[in-house]
Amino acid sequence: MRWQVVGLIFSLFVLGIAIIILFLVWYSTIRVEILFKRDQQNNDGEIKIVVFGGLLRFKFNLSQLEWKGFDEGIQVKGKLKNQMAKIQTGQKKEKVQVNKRKVRAFRHKYLKMLRQIDEFQQIMHWFFGKITCEKLIWKTRLGTGDAAEAGILTGIAWGIKWALVGMLGSRIRWKFTPQLSIDPDFNHEILEIYFHSIIRFRIGHAILTVKRLSDHMRQ
């Protein structure tokens, strides 16, 4: 009888510790810091992830990008394996018969796809609502050497920035107002970027999102 009481007390102690650990993990935050700087021909970017208030830290270097100018664009340094597929010549005529059964099947798949997209958006919108952006600084300086082209690119760049921030801004909680700027250079071909963002969210919210997405993919 005595050993049974001791075993029960020990089991309750272990259960209590497990509940406390689960509680701490669930309400702990993940802090993600993204920093990317491009000055002339030098690129420097990194992603820092801090968990449990700094007990765990991860750091990743972003892929090296090589700017070739506005005519050639951006080149990502890496290896690409190319495989040539065999091409069969000649034409093969096939008869496709469309009937009511195929139309109903196509309509069913189409409606299912729309429901999946809508559910995916709802899950991601819910998760975005749990994210807090502590900092967003996005500065750009660009030019092609032609004043007219620089003006057009500046307008396009402003449109892209405001579209992205506006799309996320209605969901994410902002601790400070985003700092966005674009400085056109009308005399030189140049592209300089400074991007610094810090976001945080709870581990529990991330777990729920992954669980809901996993259930959604299995449907």
Side-chain angles (χ1 to χ4, degrees):
M1 184 67 179
R2 179 183 176 183
W3 290 109
Q4 292 179 352
V5 174
V6 173
L8 179 61
I9 294 175
F10 180 77
S11 299
L12 292 176
F13 176 77
V14 173
L15 179 61
I17 295 297
I19 292 175
I20 292 175
I21 294 176
L22 179 62
F23 180 84
L24 292 176
V25 171
W26 189 270
Y27 286 96
S28 296
T29 60
I30 298 178
R31 189 172 183 266
V32 181
E33 180 177 2
I34 303 174
L35 177 62
F36 180 79
K37 295 184 292 184
R38 186 187 191 282
D39 185 7
Q40 298 299 327
Q41 299 299 324
N42 298 320
N43 302 312
D44 184 19
E46 61 183 18
I47 299 177
K48 296 180 181 178
I49 301 177
V50 179
V51 190
F52 301 130
L55 293 178
L56 294 177
R57 296 176 180 269
F58 305 93
K59 183 178 178 181
F60 306 94
N61 293 325
L62 298 178
S63 299
Q64 184 72 16
L65 303 178
E66 184 177 352
W67 176 248
K68 294 292 187 178
F70 282 97
D71 293 333
E72 299 184 28
I74 297 175
Q75 178 182 359
V76 180
K77 292 184 177 180
K79 295 182 179 180
L80 178 63
K81 184 178 181 181
N82 186 21
Q83 295 181 348
M84 298 297 294
K86 295 182 179 180
I87 302 176
Q88 296 180 354
T89 60
Q91 296 181 354
K92 183 179 180 181
K93 296 182 179 180
E94 294 183 357
K95 294 182 179 180
V96 179
Q97 183 178 3
V98 179
N99 50 36
K100 290 183 178 180
R101 182 177 59 84
K102 290 186 177 181
V103 171
R104 285 195 298 265
F106 175 78
R107 181 175 180 273
H108 175 73
K109 292 181 180 179
Y110 176 72
L111 293 177
K112 182 180 179 181
M113 182 185 66
L114 291 181
R115 287 194 300 269
Q116 290 178 341
I117 294 175
D118 183 65
E119 292 174 0
F120 176 80
Q121 290 179 341
Q122 291 179 5
I123 295 173
M124 297 309 301
H125 287 168
W126 178 85
F127 179 65
F128 288 154
K130 306 302 180 182
I131 296 177
T132 299
C133 184
E134 298 180 355
K135 176 187 290 187
L136 176 58
I137 302 176
W138 190 0
K139 299 180 180 180
T140 307
R141 184 185 178 195
L142 56 83
T144 63
D146 181 88
E149 291 180 354
I152 295 174
L153 287 176
T154 300
I156 295 175
W158 271 120
I160 294 174
K161 285 190 176 185
W162 282 116
L164 293 175
V165 174
M167 180 179 61
L168 299 176
S170 60
R171 305 292 178 180
I172 294 178
R173 293 172 291 184
W174 301 93
K175 190 173 183 180
F176 298 102
T177 303
Q179 301 180 30
L180 308 178
S181 67
I182 298 179
D183 183 18
D185 191 320
F186 300 107
N187 300 316
H188 304 90
E189 182 176 349
I190 190 173
L191 177 62
E192 296 180 352
I193 300 173
Y194 178 82
F195 181 89
H196 189 194
S197 177
I198 301 176
I199 62 173
R200 58 178 170 84
F201 51 88
R202 289 181 179 176
I203 296 179
H205 294 151
I207 294 175
L208 281 178
T209 301
V210 173
K211 176 64 168 56
R212 293 177 63 183
L213 289 175
S214 178
D215 295 340
H216 173 69
M217 295 300 295
R218 286 198 297 263
Q219 292 181 357

